[in-house]
Amino acid sequence: MAEILALVEARLRSALGEPDARADVTFLGTDRIEVLRFLDGDVVRYATLGMSAQPMADPTAPLADPVKGPRAELVLSVRAGLADTDQVLRPLAVLAASPQVEGLIVAPGASLDLGDPLWPGAPFTSVLVAESGGLVEDLELDEPMDPVRFLPLLPMTHNEAAWKRVRGAQELQERWLTHGTDLRDPLRTSVPLD
């Protein structure tokens, strides 16, 4: 486990630079989850470290495979200085612990809902999980382990999350693209959905 996390941290550092801050959160019955903060000009990126230590298991499987199964870490990018986004550390750790706590498999197209704002005053309580491979390349591990995927999180307003449940992730992403939505804006309003 420690070896995997060392490789994951090395991949994050090679893609995003040196973290300027880190925090860790431990939930009862789970492994420690760290959240690293990286500054990149006017963008701040938060990346989890610890979610990939164990593979995500199908909640319907009688036994969890300790080696095989999808592995992931979460990455959130927002514009710096517009909101108190550093308060997102605990909510991100909650999302990263959800496979261990709730038996979820976090994959592209999924919605993750916290029920509370991502940070104080945020218009977002949920995120859309996007495809990996863009900002941070997947990390291949020795067979038979699955690679670690670095999944971007796209904050969704309440209305966007409801629209996504009805229309699907692809249509919501197309709507964002059509309207030129700045998904890194921590203060943005909902994209027009009519």
Side-chain angles (χ1 to χ4, degrees):
M1 179 174 95
E3 180 182 322
I4 291 171
L5 294 183
L7 293 171
V8 168
E9 185 168 354
R11 175 59 54 95
L12 286 168
R13 286 173 185 265
S14 69
L16 305 176
E18 287 299 311
D20 77 323
R22 62 193 310 146
D24 62 78
V25 180
T26 305
F27 303 99
L28 189 61
T30 67
D31 296 325
R32 183 179 72 177
I33 302 287
E34 287 189 88
V35 179
L36 284 59
R37 183 179 72 183
F38 301 87
L39 294 177
D40 181 13
D42 70 338
V43 174
V44 60
R45 302 186 198 285
Y46 302 94
T48 63
L49 179 62
M51 182 178 171
S52 62
Q54 305 293 330
M56 292 180 271
D58 182 345
T60 63
L63 289 174
D65 190 316
V67 177
K68 292 182 184 178
R71 295 175 189 261
E73 296 292 351
L74 307 175
V75 180
L76 174 69
S77 300
V78 291
R79 297 226 176 274
L82 300 176
D84 189 10
T85 57
D86 280 350
Q87 298 298 314
V88 79
L89 301 178
R90 185 168 177 76
L92 268 183
V94 167
L95 295 177
S98 62
Q100 290 181 59
V101 174
E102 300 174 36
L104 293 179
I105 294 182
V106 177
S111 298
L112 302 175
D113 195 336
L114 287 159
D116 290 316
L118 290 176
W119 52 83
F124 319 107
T125 60
S126 61
V127 293
L128 175 65
V129 181
E131 289 287 340
S132 68
L135 187 61
V136 183
E137 287 184 33
D138 294 350
L139 173 64
E140 296 295 329
L141 299 175
D142 294 337
E143 291 291 337
M145 292 186 284
D146 287 17
V148 176
R149 300 174 76 196
F150 298 88
L151 301 171
L153 300 180
L154 308 175
M156 293 188 292
T157 66
H158 179 72
N159 288 343
E160 289 169 340
W163 202 80
K164 183 259 176 195
R165 282 192 294 276
V166 174
R167 300 286 189 93
Q170 185 64 39
E171 283 200 35
L172 178 58
Q173 289 177 305
E174 287 172 10
R175 178 138 313 229
W176 281 335
L177 192 58
T178 300
H179 289 274
T181 305
D182 181 1
L183 296 173
R184 294 178 181 168
D185 181 352
L187 304 174
R188 75 174 180 83
T189 56
S190 186
V191 69
L193 297 171
D194 48 346

